[in-house]
Amino acid sequence: MPTSAPLTLANVTLEYPDGGGTTTALDRVSLTAQAGQLVALVGPSGSGKSSLLATAATLVRPTSGQVIIAGADTAGLKDKELTALRRGKVGIIFQQPNLLPSLTAVEQLIISDHLRGKPATAARTRAAELLDVVGLSASARKLPHQLSGGQRQRVNIARALMGSPKVLLVDEPTAALDHERSAAIVGLLRQVATEFSVATVMVTHDTEFVPLTDLVATMRDGRLTAPVPAPTPSGSR
Ligand code: ADP
């Protein structure tokens, strides 16, 4: 299927072994995220949201259907090629930032580039730029325990952007944050999706932040409803 969208899932089914049978976590799911788009993925617990993100992140291979990232149909790729595609094109942001305790904020970013085999000088410049984007220039030399939860999540976001991904997958980024910090983090994701033209899919249980997104897709029992435009933020009509 020809597609220019950074992320396309077409008719994706994912089954997990379950005792003697199988559990269908994703049931013929189709989703497209365009460059610069922020898609909210909502739905009750157990409906398949994490499975969708893991499949889109190429961490799990679907039982059937296509996952196309930046024009590459992942089904045809060997594990090594898939890892290279993921490192080069996909940024992943989990609920918990999982920062390395002994590294400063700027070092967390530089090491992620080092793992991609990029030169250190370029990494330093890009890390400084990205810390500025996420509002943490003044905290570049702080260790994770010296940062607030919201600041750690900002480092996490900047780190995910280090590889200039085409696709950003975000799992409940505000789960560990209070209301004010949650709003700021979703606002930041809105900003970076647009600024870096990255196709972003964000799982959220917080429907309050949905107006900051472009599209809302709802999961239920492994099925995905067709995405609909997000409601306009109140007061902006
Ligand atoms: P959500 O993120 O919406 O809570 P999940 O994607 O975690 O939903 O789960 C979807 C379904 O797949 C559930 O029935 C869950 O029990 C099942 N599931 C998820 N991960 C696994 C796994 N690793 N092994 C077996 N079943 C799983």
Side-chain angles (χ1 to χ4, degrees):
M1 184 203 294
T3 173
S4 59
L7 175 67
T8 301
L9 273 66
N11 241 345
V12 166
T13 292
L14 175 66
E15 292 172 345
Y16 292 111
D18 180 12
T22 54
T23 295
T24 304
L26 300 175
D27 186 2
R28 291 161 290 161
V29 164
S30 295
L31 178 69
T32 298
Q34 304 289 348
Q37 232 174 22
L38 176 57
V39 181
L41 189 59
V42 302
S45 179
S47 60
K49 303 181 300 297
S50 305
S51 298
L52 192 156
L53 277 200
T55 309
T58 75
L59 294 168
V60 176
R61 285 188 190 262
T63 311
S64 62
Q66 284 180 298
V67 178
I68 302 167
I69 293 177
D73 185 345
T74 57
L77 302 181
K78 301 195 179 82
D79 284 351
K80 248 187 166 171
E81 296 168 327
L82 206 54
T83 305
L85 179 77
R86 189 184 316 122
R87 284 208 181 127
K89 308 286 186 201
V90 183
I92 304 174
I93 297 173
F94 293 111
Q95 285 183 18
Q96 299 294 341
N98 286 326
L99 302 177
L100 295 162
S102 61
L103 296 186
T104 64
V106 69
E107 287 166 349
Q108 311 277 348
L109 273 56
I110 291 170
I111 198 158
S112 78
D113 240 26
H114 181 69
L115 295 174
R116 280 188 206 91
K118 301 259 182 76
T121 337
R124 272 191 189 282
T125 310
R126 174 123 181 109
E129 281 167 11
L130 286 173
L131 285 178
D132 189 35
V133 168
V134 301
L136 280 186
S137 287
S139 302
R141 287 179 208 297
K142 289 193 178 163
L143 293 166
H145 78 268
Q146 296 170 315
L147 299 169
S148 70
Q151 288 175 323
R152 284 195 290 270
Q153 193 55 295
R154 285 168 187 273
V155 175
N156 197 16
I157 293 169
R159 181 175 58 180
L161 293 167
M162 273 300 276
S164 305
K166 300 285 180 212
V167 176
L168 197 56
L169 302 165
V170 194
D171 195 2
E172 300 248 15
T174 63
L177 302 178
D178 64 24
H179 180 266
E180 199 177 321
R181 284 176 175 154
S182 296
I185 288 295
V186 178
L188 178 61
L189 288 165
R190 164 74 280 169
Q191 180 198 329
V192 300
T194 307
E195 194 170 330
F196 296 98
S197 289
V198 57
T200 306
V201 180
M202 173 181 72
V203 169
T204 180
H205 64 275
D206 223 328
T207 47
E208 187 189 336
F209 301 127
V210 165
L212 290 171
T213 68
D214 297 306
L215 287 175
V216 196
T218 306
M219 292 230 54
R220 199 167 293 273
D221 296 332
R223 307 289 297 268
L224 188 72
T225 59
V228 296
T232 317
S234 53
S236 70
R237 272 178 228 265

